[in-house]
Amino acid sequence: MLRQVAEGVLIHESEFVQSNAVVVHGRAGVLLIDPGVLGDEMAALATDLRELGLPVVAGFSTHPHWDHVLWHAGLGAAPRYGTARCAAAARDEMSDEGWKARVAEGIPPDIAEQMSWDLFGLITGLPDGTARIPWDGPHVRIVEHQAHAPGHAALLIEERGVLVAGDMLSDVLIPMLDLDDTADPIEDYLAALRLLEGVADGVDVLVPGHGSVGGADQVRARIDQDRAYVHALSDARTPSDPRLGPSAYGKDFLPSVHARQLQGLAGRSERDGTPG
Ligand SMILES: [Zn+2]
């Protein structure tokens, strides 16, 4: 069930939109990044790790969206880190009584039923500007940027040549911009892609939050593909992008996300009084 993608780095792929949980070997246990979606899957992952004698000593959520902030009691009580902005956004989201129903509205009902909600969103924010995940294992650099979600972070495990991209650089999902929390979502997204491009040298393995693991050549290819998509969005065009094609994930799902993004951006420029 766990698949090694680099020395000391394993992934577990969820049924839900090819979500990748990432396990990194440290000295006294493992770091678990974006643990998974379905309760049963996380329980099985916990059992696998226990049988391998690998306690979870730290967790990390790349961003505060529901499919990245879940946990299972069987994984233990290690600190679950995220950027300060990620933790704050999760806290805000859960700050009133109606939060669960509100979050569930955005989740396919059959998936929401199979989730374990008990430990949802309990993220420990790392102080702003924290360069590395505090744990006893290979250095994991935090590459925070303003795209997709507040406090979104990619993680670079330099010694292993692995880039964990969170919800950037996916081969199945188009870039989904954060239209609510930022003044210039297009420019923010392009800046984030430039930031990832800046760390791309030396990356041999790219692990997106959803989709297939890529090799060295995929890092720049996916950066280019995402950039082309964002440029098209900025020009209010529909690009020819395989992720929007007839054989793409969920058929109508991504075209409808694309339409929503076009609409959302059009609404913004009207409000700003700027053309295009
Ligand atoms: Zn996601």
Side-chain angles (χ1 to χ4, degrees), residues 62-68 145-153 165-169 173-182 185 188-189 192 210 257 261:
T62 56
H63 61 289
H65 288 168
W66 66 270
D67 51 331
H68 300 261
H145 43 270
Q146 204 51 253
H148 183 68
H152 191 280
D167 277 4
M168 310 284 287
L169 312 186
L173 300 180
I174 52 172
M176 296 184 193
L177 279 58
D178 183 1
L179 298 179
D180 300 326
D181 302 290
T182 141
D188 286 347
Y189 210 99
H210 307 275
V257 169
Q261 301 201 109

Short mmCIF file of all heavy atoms in Angstrom, two decimals, residues 62-68 145-153 165-169 173-182 185 188-189 192 210 257 261:
data_model
loop_
_atom_site.label_atom_id
_atom_site.label_comp_id
_atom_site.label_asym_id
_atom_site.label_seq_id
_atom_site.Cartn_x
_atom_site.Cartn_y
_atom_site.Cartn_z
N THR A 62 -0.23 20.86 3.98
CA THR A 62 0.28 21.84 3.02
C THR A 62 -0.62 23.07 2.92
O THR A 62 -0.16 24.13 2.53
CB THR A 62 0.43 21.23 1.61
OG1 THR A 62 -0.84 20.69 1.20
CG2 THR A 62 1.50 20.14 1.59
N HIS A 63 -1.90 22.89 3.23
CA HIS A 63 -2.82 24.04 3.20
C HIS A 63 -4.13 23.69 3.90
O HIS A 63 -4.40 22.52 4.17
CB HIS A 63 -3.04 24.53 1.76
CG HIS A 63 -3.66 23.53 0.83
ND1 HIS A 63 -3.01 22.42 0.35
CD2 HIS A 63 -4.90 23.48 0.27
CE1 HIS A 63 -3.80 21.74 -0.46
NE2 HIS A 63 -4.96 22.36 -0.52
N PRO A 64 -4.95 24.71 4.21
CA PRO A 64 -6.09 24.47 5.09
C PRO A 64 -7.36 23.93 4.43
O PRO A 64 -8.42 24.01 5.02
CB PRO A 64 -6.34 25.86 5.69
CG PRO A 64 -5.86 26.81 4.66
CD PRO A 64 -4.71 26.14 3.98
N HIS A 65 -7.28 23.39 3.23
CA HIS A 65 -8.49 22.79 2.63
C HIS A 65 -8.79 21.43 3.27
O HIS A 65 -7.88 20.72 3.71
CB HIS A 65 -8.32 22.64 1.12
CG HIS A 65 -8.38 23.95 0.38
ND1 HIS A 65 -8.02 24.10 -0.93
CD2 HIS A 65 -8.78 25.18 0.81
CE1 HIS A 65 -8.17 25.36 -1.30
NE2 HIS A 65 -8.63 26.03 -0.25
N TRP A 66 -10.09 21.08 3.26
CA TRP A 66 -10.56 19.92 4.03
C TRP A 66 -9.81 18.63 3.72
O TRP A 66 -9.59 17.81 4.60
CB TRP A 66 -12.07 19.73 3.82
CG TRP A 66 -12.44 19.36 2.40
CD1 TRP A 66 -12.74 20.21 1.38
CD2 TRP A 66 -12.53 18.03 1.86
NE1 TRP A 66 -13.01 19.50 0.24
CE2 TRP A 66 -12.90 18.17 0.50
CE3 TRP A 66 -12.35 16.75 2.38
CZ2 TRP A 66 -13.07 17.07 -0.34
CZ3 TRP A 66 -12.52 15.65 1.54
CH2 TRP A 66 -12.88 15.82 0.20
N ASP A 67 -9.42 18.44 2.46
CA ASP A 67 -8.80 17.15 2.10
C ASP A 67 -7.32 17.08 2.49
O ASP A 67 -6.64 16.10 2.19
CB ASP A 67 -8.99 16.85 0.60
CG ASP A 67 -8.58 18.00 -0.32
OD1 ASP A 67 -8.66 19.16 0.11
OD2 ASP A 67 -8.17 17.73 -1.46
N HIS A 68 -6.83 18.11 3.18
CA HIS A 68 -5.42 18.13 3.60
C HIS A 68 -5.26 18.30 5.11
O HIS A 68 -4.13 18.34 5.60
CB HIS A 68 -4.68 19.24 2.84
CG HIS A 68 -4.71 19.04 1.35
ND1 HIS A 68 -3.67 18.47 0.64
CD2 HIS A 68 -5.69 19.27 0.44
CE1 HIS A 68 -4.00 18.37 -0.64
NE2 HIS A 68 -5.23 18.86 -0.78
N HIS A 145 3.84 30.16 -0.19
CA HIS A 145 3.47 31.12 -1.22
C HIS A 145 1.98 31.39 -1.12
O HIS A 145 1.24 30.71 -0.42
CB HIS A 145 3.84 30.58 -2.60
CG HIS A 145 3.51 29.14 -2.78
ND1 HIS A 145 4.41 28.13 -2.47
CD2 HIS A 145 2.38 28.54 -3.17
CE1 HIS A 145 3.83 26.97 -2.68
NE2 HIS A 145 2.59 27.18 -3.10
N GLN A 146 1.57 32.41 -1.88
CA GLN A 146 0.17 32.84 -1.83
C GLN A 146 -0.53 32.36 -3.10
O GLN A 146 -0.64 33.10 -4.06
CB GLN A 146 0.16 34.36 -1.71
CG GLN A 146 -1.09 34.94 -1.09
CD GLN A 146 -1.46 34.27 0.23
OE1 GLN A 146 -2.39 33.50 0.32
NE2 GLN A 146 -0.69 34.55 1.27
N ALA A 147 -0.95 31.10 -3.10
CA ALA A 147 -1.68 30.59 -4.26
C ALA A 147 -2.51 29.41 -3.79
O ALA A 147 -2.11 28.71 -2.86
CB ALA A 147 -0.72 30.13 -5.35
N HIS A 148 -3.65 29.24 -4.39
CA HIS A 148 -4.57 28.14 -4.12
C HIS A 148 -5.30 28.26 -2.78
O HIS A 148 -6.50 28.09 -2.73
CB HIS A 148 -3.88 26.78 -4.22
CG HIS A 148 -4.83 25.63 -4.03
ND1 HIS A 148 -5.82 25.34 -4.94
CD2 HIS A 148 -4.97 24.73 -3.01
CE1 HIS A 148 -6.53 24.31 -4.49
NE2 HIS A 148 -6.05 23.92 -3.34
N ALA A 149 -4.56 28.55 -1.71
CA ALA A 149 -5.20 28.63 -0.39
C ALA A 149 -4.29 29.45 0.52
O ALA A 149 -3.08 29.51 0.30
CB ALA A 149 -5.38 27.24 0.19
N PRO A 150 -4.86 30.07 1.57
CA PRO A 150 -4.03 30.86 2.47
C PRO A 150 -2.92 30.00 3.09
O PRO A 150 -3.16 28.88 3.52
CB PRO A 150 -5.01 31.31 3.57
CG PRO A 150 -6.37 31.14 2.99
CD PRO A 150 -6.28 30.06 1.96
N GLY A 151 -1.71 30.54 3.09
CA GLY A 151 -0.59 29.84 3.74
C GLY A 151 -0.18 28.55 3.05
O GLY A 151 0.40 27.67 3.69
N HIS A 152 -0.48 28.42 1.77
CA HIS A 152 -0.11 27.19 1.05
C HIS A 152 1.41 27.03 1.05
O HIS A 152 2.15 27.99 0.85
CB HIS A 152 -0.60 27.27 -0.40
CG HIS A 152 -0.50 25.97 -1.14
ND1 HIS A 152 0.68 25.53 -1.67
CD2 HIS A 152 -1.42 25.02 -1.41
CE1 HIS A 152 0.48 24.34 -2.26
NE2 HIS A 152 -0.80 24.02 -2.11
N ALA A 153 1.88 25.81 1.30
CA ALA A 153 3.31 25.56 1.32
C ALA A 153 3.64 24.30 0.53
O ALA A 153 2.97 23.28 0.67
CB ALA A 153 3.82 25.40 2.75
N ALA A 165 4.43 19.10 -3.57
CA ALA A 165 3.94 20.36 -4.13
C ALA A 165 2.60 20.83 -3.57
O ALA A 165 2.12 21.90 -3.93
CB ALA A 165 3.85 20.24 -5.64
N GLY A 166 1.99 20.05 -2.65
CA GLY A 166 0.64 20.43 -2.23
C GLY A 166 -0.25 20.49 -3.46
O GLY A 166 -0.03 19.76 -4.43
N ASP A 167 -1.20 21.42 -3.48
CA ASP A 167 -2.13 21.45 -4.62
C ASP A 167 -1.64 22.34 -5.76
O ASP A 167 -2.41 23.07 -6.39
CB ASP A 167 -3.53 21.87 -4.16
CG ASP A 167 -4.29 20.67 -3.60
OD1 ASP A 167 -3.69 19.58 -3.52
OD2 ASP A 167 -5.48 20.81 -3.26
N MET A 168 -0.35 22.28 -6.03
CA MET A 168 0.23 22.91 -7.21
C MET A 168 0.79 21.78 -8.09
O MET A 168 1.02 20.68 -7.61
CB MET A 168 1.38 23.84 -6.82
CG MET A 168 1.10 24.83 -5.70
SD MET A 168 0.11 26.25 -6.20
CE MET A 168 1.29 27.16 -7.18
N LEU A 169 1.02 22.06 -9.37
CA LEU A 169 1.74 21.15 -10.26
C LEU A 169 1.12 19.76 -10.37
O LEU A 169 1.82 18.74 -10.39
CB LEU A 169 3.22 21.03 -9.84
CG LEU A 169 3.97 22.33 -9.55
CD1 LEU A 169 5.45 22.03 -9.30
CD2 LEU A 169 3.81 23.34 -10.67
N LEU A 173 -5.45 17.93 -11.91
CA LEU A 173 -6.27 19.11 -11.59
C LEU A 173 -5.66 20.37 -12.20
O LEU A 173 -4.45 20.56 -12.16
CB LEU A 173 -6.38 19.29 -10.07
CG LEU A 173 -7.01 18.12 -9.30
CD1 LEU A 173 -7.06 18.45 -7.81
CD2 LEU A 173 -8.41 17.81 -9.82
N ILE A 174 -6.51 21.23 -12.74
CA ILE A 174 -6.04 22.52 -13.22
C ILE A 174 -5.71 23.40 -12.00
O ILE A 174 -6.18 23.13 -10.89
CB ILE A 174 -7.12 23.26 -14.06
CG1 ILE A 174 -8.46 23.32 -13.30
CG2 ILE A 174 -7.28 22.63 -15.43
CD1 ILE A 174 -9.52 24.19 -13.96
N PRO A 175 -4.87 24.43 -12.19
CA PRO A 175 -4.65 25.36 -11.08
C PRO A 175 -5.98 25.92 -10.58
O PRO A 175 -6.82 26.33 -11.38
CB PRO A 175 -3.81 26.47 -11.72
CG PRO A 175 -3.08 25.79 -12.82
CD PRO A 175 -4.07 24.78 -13.36
N MET A 176 -6.18 25.85 -9.28
CA MET A 176 -7.39 26.43 -8.69
C MET A 176 -6.94 27.62 -7.86
O MET A 176 -6.24 27.47 -6.86
CB MET A 176 -8.10 25.39 -7.83
CG MET A 176 -8.59 24.22 -8.67
SD MET A 176 -9.54 23.06 -7.69
CE MET A 176 -9.62 21.67 -8.81
N LEU A 177 -7.33 28.79 -8.33
CA LEU A 177 -6.84 30.02 -7.71
C LEU A 177 -7.62 30.36 -6.46
O LEU A 177 -8.80 30.00 -6.34
CB LEU A 177 -6.92 31.17 -8.72
CG LEU A 177 -5.78 31.26 -9.74
CD1 LEU A 177 -5.64 29.99 -10.57
CD2 LEU A 177 -5.95 32.46 -10.65
N ASP A 178 -6.96 31.03 -5.56
CA ASP A 178 -7.61 31.50 -4.34
C ASP A 178 -8.22 32.87 -4.64
O ASP A 178 -7.54 33.88 -4.55
CB ASP A 178 -6.57 31.58 -3.22
CG ASP A 178 -7.20 31.99 -1.91
OD1 ASP A 178 -8.44 32.19 -1.87
OD2 ASP A 178 -6.45 32.11 -0.92
N LEU A 179 -9.49 32.86 -5.02
CA LEU A 179 -10.11 34.12 -5.45
C LEU A 179 -10.62 34.94 -4.28
O LEU A 179 -11.01 36.10 -4.45
CB LEU A 179 -11.27 33.83 -6.42
CG LEU A 179 -10.90 33.12 -7.73
CD1 LEU A 179 -12.13 32.89 -8.57
CD2 LEU A 179 -9.86 33.91 -8.51
N ASP A 180 -10.63 34.36 -3.07
CA ASP A 180 -11.25 35.05 -1.94
C ASP A 180 -10.27 35.80 -1.05
O ASP A 180 -10.63 36.77 -0.40
CB ASP A 180 -12.00 34.05 -1.06
CG ASP A 180 -13.09 33.34 -1.83
OD1 ASP A 180 -13.69 33.99 -2.71
OD2 ASP A 180 -13.31 32.15 -1.57
N ASP A 181 -9.06 35.32 -0.97
CA ASP A 181 -8.18 35.80 0.09
C ASP A 181 -7.04 36.67 -0.40
O ASP A 181 -6.14 36.98 0.37
CB ASP A 181 -7.58 34.60 0.84
CG ASP A 181 -8.66 33.70 1.41
OD1 ASP A 181 -9.33 34.12 2.36
OD2 ASP A 181 -8.86 32.59 0.87
N THR A 182 -7.04 37.03 -1.66
CA THR A 182 -5.88 37.76 -2.16
C THR A 182 -6.30 38.85 -3.14
O THR A 182 -7.31 38.75 -3.82
CB THR A 182 -4.84 36.78 -2.80
OG1 THR A 182 -4.28 37.37 -3.95
CG2 THR A 182 -5.49 35.48 -3.21
N PRO A 185 -5.08 37.40 -7.51
CA PRO A 185 -4.87 35.94 -7.55
C PRO A 185 -4.05 35.47 -8.74
O PRO A 185 -3.28 34.51 -8.62
CB PRO A 185 -6.29 35.36 -7.62
CG PRO A 185 -7.22 36.49 -7.82
CD PRO A 185 -6.50 37.76 -7.48
N ASP A 188 -0.37 36.45 -8.00
CA ASP A 188 0.09 35.62 -6.88
C ASP A 188 0.40 34.20 -7.35
O ASP A 188 1.40 33.61 -6.95
CB ASP A 188 -0.98 35.55 -5.78
CG ASP A 188 -1.07 36.85 -5.00
OD1 ASP A 188 -0.17 37.69 -5.14
OD2 ASP A 188 -2.05 37.01 -4.24
N TYR A 189 -0.47 33.68 -8.21
CA TYR A 189 -0.25 32.31 -8.67
C TYR A 189 1.02 32.23 -9.53
O TYR A 189 1.83 31.31 -9.39
CB TYR A 189 -1.46 31.79 -9.45
CG TYR A 189 -1.63 30.29 -9.33
CD1 TYR A 189 -2.54 29.73 -8.44
CD2 TYR A 189 -0.84 29.42 -10.10
CE1 TYR A 189 -2.67 28.36 -8.30
CE2 TYR A 189 -0.96 28.05 -9.96
CZ TYR A 189 -1.88 27.52 -9.07
OH TYR A 189 -2.00 26.15 -8.93
N ALA A 192 4.00 32.33 -7.38
CA ALA A 192 4.22 31.02 -6.72
C ALA A 192 4.89 30.05 -7.68
O ALA A 192 5.80 29.31 -7.29
CB ALA A 192 2.89 30.45 -6.23
N HIS A 210 -2.49 15.88 -5.58
CA HIS A 210 -3.40 15.00 -6.31
C HIS A 210 -2.77 14.69 -7.66
O HIS A 210 -2.35 15.61 -8.36
CB HIS A 210 -4.75 15.66 -6.55
CG HIS A 210 -5.39 16.20 -5.30
ND1 HIS A 210 -6.15 15.43 -4.46
CD2 HIS A 210 -5.36 17.43 -4.74
CE1 HIS A 210 -6.57 16.16 -3.43
NE2 HIS A 210 -6.10 17.40 -3.59
N VAL A 257 -15.15 24.07 -12.78
CA VAL A 257 -14.21 24.88 -11.98
C VAL A 257 -13.64 26.00 -12.84
O VAL A 257 -13.57 27.16 -12.43
CB VAL A 257 -13.05 24.01 -11.41
CG1 VAL A 257 -11.95 24.88 -10.82
CG2 VAL A 257 -13.57 23.02 -10.37
N GLN A 261 -13.94 30.02 -12.35
CA GLN A 261 -12.76 30.89 -12.20
C GLN A 261 -12.84 32.06 -13.19
O GLN A 261 -12.54 33.20 -12.84
CB GLN A 261 -11.47 30.10 -12.39
CG GLN A 261 -11.35 28.98 -11.38
CD GLN A 261 -9.93 28.48 -11.15
OE1 GLN A 261 -9.37 28.72 -10.10
NE2 GLN A 261 -9.35 27.78 -12.10
#
